[in-house]
């Protein structure tokens, strides 16, 4: 009792009436976004944001809690042709998969779903991460485990898994992969996960069939 939360806010907000990112800001952001961009957002003093920051395993391990409490993949325009990547039980459910311009794919309590980017931008601050134009894999350090070794206890491979495996082979052969190719595979993979349940544990980033937002 009586503990002060400190920066970014000294009070909590349950349902804010407005956000620091304005309509003008959103228009500028839309002019910059490209499919495949990773959007990190956060809020000042928002209740669930404070819970996320203070309950994160990084906080318990001595790392400073981060600014950002949610993340999404910017998919760009979603059209009817994208529906064939979506699980059949969800492709006709507009609350999980909706076509339209400038959409994101993310995971929240109801599971993985699409959303208009303008809805996603209702927040107080935002960062946009973008892959470089050309991807190359750094050499493995001696004794460093191979990434694929962590991919255990997962369902049968999906079409995007097979494409990912091909890209891994290219990278491990010392060759490069264009960003557009990687983004296309990531976008397909995200669409294949529409409807998958949210992982409320949010603790294991080495499993690839459980989906918290990150």
């Amino acid at each position: 009792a009586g503990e002060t939360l400190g920066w970014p806010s000294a009070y909590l907000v349950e349902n804010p009436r407005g956000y620091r990112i304005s309509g003008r800001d959103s228009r500028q952001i839309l002019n910059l976004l490209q499919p495949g961009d990773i959007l990190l957002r956060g809020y000042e003093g928002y209740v669930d944001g404070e819970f996320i920051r203070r309950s994160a395993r990084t906080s318990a391990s001595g790392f400073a809690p981060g600014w950002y409490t949610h993340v999404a993949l910017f998919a760009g325009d979603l059209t009817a042709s994208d529906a064939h990547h979506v699980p059949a039980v969800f492709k006709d459910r507009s609350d999980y998969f909706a076509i339209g311009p400038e959409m994101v794919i993310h995971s929240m309590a109801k599971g993985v779903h699409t959303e208009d980017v303008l809805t996603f931008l209702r927040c107080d601050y935002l960062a946009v991460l973008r892959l470089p134009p050309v991807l190359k894999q750094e050499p493995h350090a001696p004794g460093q485990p191979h990434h694929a070794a962590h991919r255990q206890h997962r369902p049968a491979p999906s079409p995007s898994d097979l494409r990912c495996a091909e890209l891994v082979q290219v990278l491990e052969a010392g060759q490069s992969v264009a960003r557009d190719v990687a983004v296309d595979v990531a976008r397909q993979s995200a669409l294949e996960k529409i409807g998958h349940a949210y992982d409320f544990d949010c603790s294991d980033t080495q499993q690839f069939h459980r989906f918290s937002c990150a």
Side-chain angles (χ1 to χ4, degrees):
E3 180 183 354
T4 301
L5 291 175
W7 185 259
S9 176
Y11 57 90
L12 294 176
V13 177
E14 181 180 6
N15 187 21
R17 295 180 180 275
Y19 304 98
R20 289 187 177 274
I21 291 186
S22 65
R24 184 181 297 275
D25 295 328
S26 296
R27 291 181 187 279
Q28 293 177 346
I29 292 168
L30 292 180
N31 288 331
L32 298 173
L33 291 181
Q34 296 180 14
D37 286 350
I38 298 169
L39 310 184
L40 303 172
R41 77 179 181 190
Y43 299 90
E44 290 195 353
Y46 204 52
V47 172
D48 67 344
E50 296 298 335
F51 288 154
I52 290 170
R53 291 186 185 95
R54 292 166 190 280
S55 63
R57 291 198 171 195
T58 54
S59 300
S61 302
F63 296 100
W67 278 80
Y68 303 103
T69 56
H70 192 54
V71 61
L73 176 72
F74 181 65
D77 297 350
L78 291 178
T79 67
S81 64
D82 292 307
H84 75 277
H85 295 306
V86 179
V89 69
F90 290 103
K91 65 173 54 179
D92 294 321
R93 289 192 55 175
S94 60
D95 55 335
Y96 278 88
F97 172 71
I99 64 175
E102 299 170 328
M103 304 290 284
V104 302
I105 302 172
H106 61 154
S107 183
M108 299 182 74
K110 73 177 186 180
V112 182
H113 62 283
T114 65
E115 184 175 76
D116 192 302
V117 70
L118 290 176
T119 303
F120 185 85
L121 291 178
R122 295 172 183 168
C123 58
D124 291 322
Y125 43 90
L126 181 88
V128 179
L129 307 181
R130 180 172 297 159
L131 292 172
V134 176
L135 307 180
K136 297 201 71 173
Q137 180 166 293
E138 295 293 331
H140 291 297
Q144 181 179 350
H146 189 284
H147 293 297
H150 298 293
R151 299 191 175 205
Q152 302 172 356
H153 312 297
R154 59 184 302 181
S158 66
S160 67
D161 287 333
L162 301 177
R163 294 183 67 192
C164 284
E166 293 174 356
L167 295 187
V168 169
Q169 291 179 348
V170 171
L171 291 169
E172 292 187 339
Q175 302 175 35
S176 61
V177 171
R179 176 177 62 204
D180 290 349
V181 175
V183 165
D184 186 59
V185 176
R187 190 175 179 276
Q188 177 183 342
S189 179
L191 288 167
E192 290 172 353
K193 309 304 185 297
I194 296 293
H196 281 225
Y198 187 80
D199 176 17
F200 286 94
D201 187 33
C202 304
S203 61
D204 191 347
T205 59
Q206 299 302 329
Q207 297 297 319
F208 294 87
H209 61 281
R210 293 162 38 181
F211 304 100
S212 56
C213 67

